[in-house]
C-alpha cells in the first residue's frame, strides 16, 4: 500500500552538486513559507476540535459569555459524567450499539471485498470485465436515494428500530471491492497461485491460506476506512433507529436538536463521540492517510 | 487500470492471455461464487430500492401502504411546487459555494504537501483530521461557533467592525456557514487525493519549468492543473454526489422541532431534507420519491457533463 511513498525523491543529499542553477533552494531558510502556510492550515483544521474540548470543559454559564472562552476549564469530568449518567440519552448504550454495527459491517465489507477483489483480479470467468465496470458504477449511486423503499423494506421485515436494519445495507462496498482488486493485481504474484494449484490446493483453500495473508495490509486499511465511515454514519441510522436503540451520532443529534440549551452537555457528548476515532487516528493515521491516497490514486 | 504486463510472462500467464476471459470450470464457478455476496447485497439494498423509488414515485403512496396510481402526477406537481424549487436552489447554491473554493484550496494544499517536507506524515494527518470527525459533530460544533450572540465567529468579526450576523436567519449567511462546514471537513481529504495524483507527475517537469524561469503560479497553471485533469473531474463528481445529498450540516444548523425545514423560511432546506420532510413527516412517500428521482437525474446529468467535459478537454490537448 505504501508503494507511492517510494516515489518521493530521496533526501536533498542525493541531488548532485551540479544543480547550482537553483540558488534559492540551496540557501536554507529557517522557516519556509510552505511550513508557515501548512501550520496555519493545520491550526484551522484542529481548532474546531480544540474549541469542542474547551466548551466541554466549561460550565454552561461560560459558554454564553462574551468574549468566548478559549482555554479549557475544569469541568470536563463533571460534564462527561453528566452525559454518561443522563437517563434520557443512554449514551453508553449508543456507544455499544455503534461499536457493534461498525464492527459487523466492517468485517463483512473487508471479507466480501477480499473475495470479490481476488476473483476480479485473478480468476477467469465470463463477463468479468463488464461486471467489474458495474461494481465501479455502483460507487456512483448514492444509497440515500433508496431511502424510502429501504425504510419500507425494513418495516416489512419488522426490522425498523433494530441494529440489523442499520447494518444490512452496508455489508458490501463497491469502493472496497475496487480497492482490493487493485491491491491483488499489484501484490499477489501469479506464481504463488500457480504453486498452490500445483500443490493440489482448491481455490477456496488457496484463498484462505495463500491469498488472505498477502492481502492483510490492504485489508487493514480498508477496515480502518470502513470503520470510520460506519462510526460516523448519520442519515440512515437517524431515519431507521428509534430513541431506544440509537447510535452515537443519532444520540448526539437528538442531544443537540432537542429543547436542551445545555451546550456544555452537548459538547461533552460530541467529544465522547469523536474521541474513539481520534484515538484510532492517532494510532493508525499513517495507514489511513495511505489508504485514502491509494484509493484516490487508482480511481 | 493496472495490468500484469510489467513482469516477464510465465508459461501460466501466456496460457492465460491466449484465452482471455474463460478459465477452467472450477475457476468460473469460484469466480461467480466469490463475487456473488457483493452483487446479492447490492441488488437487494442498492439497486432494488433505487428502482422501486421510481415505482413508488408513480403513485400516491402513504406510510400504511395505501396507494393509488398517479402516473406522472407527482412529477407535474413538482413543477409547481415552490418548496421543491427552493430546495433545489439551496442545494445547488450551497454546492457551488462550497465546492469551488474547496477544490481550489485542496489543489493548492496538495501542491504544498508535495514539496520536500520534514514530518510529511504529520502534515498529512493534520489536514485529514477534520475528515475523521463525524458530520453530526461538525454540525454541532460549527453551530456553536456561528451562534449570533456569543459565537466565536461573530466575536472575531466584531474586531473588524462587523455587526453580529444572525447566521441562520438569511439565505446568504446560512449558505456560507454551511459551506464552511463542508469545506472544513473535505478540503484536506481532497488534497490527499490530489497529492496522490501529483506524485505520479514526473518531478522533472517542475524542475525544467523552474529552470525556464516559471514561477509557482505558472507551474501550477501549466503543469499541475493539466496533469491532474482526470483527478479533478473525479473529485468534482464525488463532491457533486455529496453536495446534492447534503443533509446533516443544514439539519443540525437549525435545532428545534422544525429542524427539517431548514430555517423559518426554508432558507437552507436542501433536497434531501425536503425528501425526508415529505416522506417521514408528511407521509407522502410517492411525492418524496419523485423528488428523490429528480435528485438522481440531476446527479447523473452533472456526472455526464463531467465526462463530456473531460473528453473535450482531452480533445483540445
Amino acid at each position: 500500500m505504501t508503494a507511492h511513498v517510494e516515489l518521493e525523491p530521496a533526501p536533498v543529499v542525493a541531488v548532485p552538486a551540479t544543480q547550482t542553477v537553483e540558488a534559492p533552494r540551496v540557501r536554507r531558510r529557517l522557516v519556509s513559507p510552505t511550513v508557515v502556510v501548512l501550520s496555519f492550515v493545520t491550526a484551522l483544521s484542529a481548532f474546531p476540535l480544540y474549541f469542542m474540548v474547551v466548551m466541554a470543559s466549561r460550565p454552561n454559564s461560560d459558554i454564553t459569555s462574551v468574549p468566548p472562552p478559549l482555554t479549557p476549564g475544569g469541568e470536563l469530568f463533571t460534564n462527561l459524567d453528566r452525559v454518561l449518567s443522563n437517563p434520557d440519552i443512554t449514551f453508553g448504550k449508543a456507544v455499544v450499539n455503534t461499536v457493534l454495527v461498525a464492527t459487523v459491517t466492517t468485517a463483512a465489507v473487508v471479507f466480501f471485498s477480499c473475495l470479490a477483489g481476488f476473483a476480479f483480479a485473478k480468476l477467469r470467468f465470463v463477463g468479468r470485465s463488464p461486471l467489474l465496470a458495474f461494481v465501479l458504477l455502483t460507487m456512483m449511486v448514492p444509497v440515500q436515494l433508496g431511502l424510502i423503499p429501504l425504510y419500507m423494506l425494513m418495516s416489512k421485515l419488522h426490522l425498523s428500530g433494530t441494529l440489523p436494519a442499520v447494518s444490512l445495507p452496508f455489508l458490501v462496498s463497491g469502493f472496497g471491492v475496487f480497492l482490493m482488486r487493485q491491491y491483488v493485481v499489484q501484490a499477489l504474484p501469479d506464481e504463488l497461485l500457480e504453486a498452490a494449484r500445483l500443490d493440489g490446493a482448491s481455490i477456496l483453500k488457496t484463498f484462505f491460506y495463500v491469498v488472505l495473508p498477502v492481502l492483510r495490509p490492504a485489508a487493514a486499511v480498508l477496515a480502518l476506512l470502513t470503520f470510520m465511515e460506519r462510526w460516523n454514519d448519520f442519515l440512515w441510522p437517524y431515519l431507521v433507529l428509534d430513541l431506544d436503540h440509537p447510535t452515537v451520532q443519532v444520540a448526539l443529534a437528538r442531544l443537540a436538536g432537542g429543547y436542551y440549551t445545555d451546550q456544555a452537555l452537548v459538547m461533552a457528548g460530541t467529544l465522547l463521540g469523536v474521541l474513539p476515532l481520534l484515538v484510532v487516528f492517532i494510532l493508525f493515521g499513517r495507514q489511513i492517510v495511505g489508504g485514502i491516497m491509494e484509493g484516490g490514486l487508482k480511481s | 487500470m493496472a495490468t500484469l504486463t510489467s513482469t516477464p510472462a510465465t508459461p501460466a500467464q501466456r496460457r492465460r492471455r491466449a484465452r482471455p476471459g474463460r478459465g477452467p470450470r472450477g475457476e468460473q464457478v469460484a469466480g461467480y461464487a466469490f463475487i456473488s455476496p457483493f452483487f446479492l447485497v447490492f441488488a437487494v439494498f442498492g439497486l432494488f430500492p433505487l428502482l422501486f423509488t421510481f415505482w413508488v414515485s408513480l403513485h400516491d403512496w402513504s406510510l400504511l401502504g395505501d396507494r393509488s396510481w398517479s402516473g406522472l402526477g407527482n412529477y407535474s406537481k413538482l413543477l409547481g411546487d415552490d418548496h421543491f424549487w427552493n430546495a433545489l436552489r439551496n442545494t445547488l447554491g450551497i454546492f457551488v459555494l462550497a465546492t469551488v473554493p474547496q477544490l481550489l484550496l485542496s489543489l493548492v494544499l496538495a501542491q504544498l504537501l508535495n514539496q520536500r517536507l520534514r514530518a510529511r506524515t504529520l502534515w498529512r494527518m493534520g489536514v485529514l483530521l477534520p475528515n475523521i470527525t463525524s458530520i453530526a459533530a461538525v454540525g454541532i460544533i460549527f453551530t456553536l461557533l456561528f451562534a449570533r450572540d456569543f459565537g466565536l465567529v461573530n466575536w472575531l468579526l466584531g474586531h473588524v467592525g462587523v455587526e453580529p450576523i444572525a447566521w441562520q436567519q438569511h439565505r446568504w449567511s446560512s449558505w456560507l456557514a454551511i459551506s464552511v462546514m463542508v469545506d472544513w471537513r473535505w478540503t484536506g481529504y481532497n488534497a490527499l487525493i490530489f497529492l496522490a495524483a501529483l506524485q505520479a507527475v514526473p518531478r522533472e517537469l517542475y524542475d525544467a519549468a523552474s529552470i525556464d524561469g516559471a514561477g509557482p503560479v505558472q507551474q501550477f497553471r501549466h503543469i499541475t492543473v493539466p496533469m491532474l485533469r482526470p483527478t479533478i473531474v473525479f473529485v468534482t463528481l464525488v463532491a457533486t454526489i455529496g453536495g446534492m445529498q447534503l443533509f446533516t450540516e443544514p439539519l443540525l444548523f437549525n435545532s428545534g422541532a422544525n429542524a427539517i425545514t431548514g430555517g423559518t423560511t426554508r432558507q437552507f432546506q436542501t433536497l434531501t431534507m425536503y425528501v425526508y420532510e415529505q416522506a417521514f413527516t408528511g407521509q407522502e412517500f410517492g411525492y418524496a420519491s419523485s423528488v428523490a428521482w429528480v435528485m438522481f437525474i440531476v446527479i447523473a446529468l452533472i456526472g455526464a457533463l463531467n465526462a463530456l467535459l473531460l473528453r473535450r478537454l482531452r480533445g483540445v490537448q
Side-chain angles (χ1 to χ4, degrees):
Chain A
M1 292 303 291
T2 50
H4 57 277
V5 174
E6 269 114 51
L7 289 172
E8 304 238 333
V12 194
V13 193
V15 178
T18 48
Q19 262 196 331
T20 43
V21 204
E22 290 179 85
R25 202 177 281 171
V26 178
R27 189 168 12 104
R28 284 213 150 233
R29 266 168 293 196
L30 246 171
V31 181
S32 75
T34 305
V35 171
V36 174
V37 177
L38 281 180
S39 306
F40 181 68
V41 171
T42 310
L44 273 184
S45 299
F47 181 77
L49 294 171
Y50 170 76
F51 185 73
M52 168 186 73
V53 176
V54 170
M55 290 309 193
S57 63
R58 292 276 179 166
N60 252 311
S61 54
D62 284 9
I63 289 178
T64 49
S65 68
V66 179
L70 287 174
T71 51
E75 302 266 305
L76 182 61
F77 291 102
T78 322
N79 288 332
L80 292 179
D81 188 53
R82 285 200 300 135
V83 176
L84 293 173
S85 59
N86 191 317
D88 296 337
I89 320 167
T90 60
F91 205 84
K93 202 169 162 187
V95 171
V96 174
N97 285 343
T98 317
V99 169
L100 271 174
V101 169
T103 309
V104 168
T105 47
T106 301
V109 163
V110 171
F111 181 65
F112 292 147
S113 297
C114 285
L115 273 177
F118 167 64
F120 277 124
K122 297 288 179 184
L123 299 180
R124 287 159 295 158
F125 51 91
V126 177
R128 186 172 79 164
S129 303
L131 286 171
L132 181 63
F134 182 80
V135 172
L136 290 183
L137 267 182
T138 67
M139 288 164 65
M140 297 288 153
V141 180
V143 180
Q144 277 83 337
L145 290 183
L147 219 57
I148 294 161
L150 264 185
Y151 183 83
M152 292 157 82
L153 186 67
M154 292 305 168
S155 305
K156 271 255 155 60
L157 298 173
H158 299 290
L159 287 174
S160 290
T162 68
L163 297 184
V166 207
S167 318
L168 280 170
F170 297 99
L171 294 179
V172 297
S173 140
F175 170 77
V177 172
F178 186 56
L179 193 74
M180 293 317 292
R181 188 233 169 227
Q182 297 303 94
Y183 188 76
V184 172
V185 165
Q186 166 207 325
L188 187 72
D190 282 349
E191 287 74 15
L192 211 56
L193 299 176
E194 195 68 12
R197 197 181 64 82
L198 290 177
D199 285 347
S202 68
I203 293 180
L204 206 59
K205 231 181 183 155
T206 310
F207 176 75
F208 279 105
Y209 293 103
V210 179
V211 179
L212 271 189
V214 175
L215 298 192
R216 201 177 288 152
V221 172
L222 180 60
L224 285 168
L225 293 177
T226 311
F227 189 85
M228 294 198 320
E229 207 183 322
R230 293 296 107 228
W231 182 278
N232 285 337
D233 195 20
F234 180 76
L235 177 53
W236 174 241
Y238 180 73
L239 174 57
V240 82
L241 290 180
D242 50 50
L243 273 175
D244 293 334
H245 309 75
T247 59
V248 170
Q249 310 305 334
V250 175
L252 280 182
R254 306 271 188 218
L255 196 59
Y259 292 103
Y260 290 97
T261 45
D262 194 342
Q263 297 287 7
L265 182 78
V266 174
M267 281 293 142
T270 311
L271 175 63
L272 280 177
V274 171
L275 208 57
L277 283 198
L278 271 181
V279 172
V280 170
F281 188 60
I282 290 165
L283 293 177
F284 301 105
R286 178 184 293 268
Q287 284 86 336
I288 293 169
V289 167
I292 284 171
M293 288 179 59
E294 189 76 6
L297 183 68
K298 300 295 170 57
S299 309
Chain B
M1 233 159 276
T3 54
L4 298 164
T5 46
S6 54
T7 47
T10 60
Q13 278 174 325
R14 244 177 270 131
R15 184 153 39 85
R16 221 161 264 206
R17 273 185 213 132
R19 292 181 307 168
R22 190 176 289 271
R25 225 184 121 70
E27 233 176 283
Q28 294 267 355
V29 173
Y32 292 129
F34 281 18
I35 64 170
S36 57
F38 174 86
F39 283 93
L40 286 177
V41 177
F42 180 77
V44 176
F45 296 107
L47 196 61
F48 162 72
L50 186 69
L51 298 176
F52 198 64
T53 302
F54 183 65
W55 178 245
V56 176
S57 78
L58 301 176
H59 295 79
D60 285 323
W61 198 309
S62 81
L63 182 66
L64 296 170
D66 300 334
R67 66 187 130 153
S68 58
W69 175 261
S70 77
L72 294 176
N74 284 323
Y75 290 90
S76 61
K77 186 176 152 197
L78 257 181
L79 294 175
D81 179 357
D82 290 343
H83 289 169
F84 163 74
W85 290 108
N86 171 63
L88 182 64
R89 181 158 75 122
N90 290 343
T91 308
L92 290 173
I94 297 172
F95 163 67
V96 171
L97 204 59
T99 310
V100 174
Q102 186 189 145
L103 291 187
L104 290 176
L105 284 175
S106 51
L107 265 172
V108 173
L109 198 55
Q111 184 90 333
L112 291 178
L113 286 169
N114 197 31
Q115 293 176 8
R116 299 180 172 94
L117 283 171
R118 259 173 240 218
R120 234 173 5 217
T121 309
L122 272 186
W123 291 117
R124 290 175 189 172
M125 282 172 65
V127 300
L128 189 62
L129 189 61
N131 191 249
I132 65 147
T133 313
S134 73
I135 316 180
V138 174
I140 294 168
I141 298 167
F142 276 77
T143 301
L144 199 54
L145 285 170
F146 280 108
R148 190 190 61 194
D149 297 320
F150 51 85
L152 189 76
V153 175
N154 274 348
W155 178 72
L156 285 175
L157 286 175
H159 285 287
V160 290
V162 179
E163 291 290 306
I165 295 164
W167 290 98
Q168 278 94 339
Q169 289 278 304
H170 318 287
R171 193 177 287 273
W172 69 270
S173 58
S174 56
W175 286 13
L176 198 64
I178 292 164
S179 302
V180 168
M181 297 186 211
V182 175
D183 286 351
W184 180 75
R185 190 153 185 265
W186 289 104
T187 304
Y189 177 90
N190 284 333
L192 290 185
I193 306 278
F194 282 133
L195 177 61
L198 266 184
Q199 293 188 336
V201 179
R203 202 165 275 265
E204 294 79 49
L205 278 180
Y206 288 104
D207 288 341
S210 59
I211 290 171
D212 288 345
V217 177
Q218 279 173 307
Q219 291 186 18
F220 183 76
R221 267 194 58 196
H222 297 290
I223 302 176
T224 307
V225 173
M227 293 298 282
L228 259 53
R229 202 169 285 143
T231 316
I232 294 174
V233 172
F234 170 76
V235 168
T236 314
L237 187 62
V238 174
T240 309
I241 297 175
M244 292 305 291
Q245 298 181 82
L246 204 62
F247 177 78
T248 313
E249 292 94 336
L251 180 81
L252 292 176
F253 195 47
N254 182 27
S255 58
N258 278 323
I260 200 72
T261 58
T264 42
T265 56
R266 299 175 180 266
Q267 62 269 29
F268 52 91
Q269 186 181 43
T270 60
L271 276 177
T272 313
M273 289 167 85
Y274 192 53
V275 171
Y276 194 104
E277 187 194 3
Q278 287 299 320
F280 303 107
T281 314
Q283 314 226 328
E284 301 266 5
F285 277 14
Y287 189 56
S289 295
S290 68
V291 180
W293 252 81
V294 170
M295 225 169 97
F296 179 60
I297 291 167
V298 173
I299 293 177
L301 277 179
I302 299 182
L305 203 72
N306 258 334
L308 207 71
L309 204 67
L310 181 69
R311 197 162 299 165
R312 279 200 63 158
L313 287 173
R314 264 190 194 148
V316 169
Q317 216 173 22

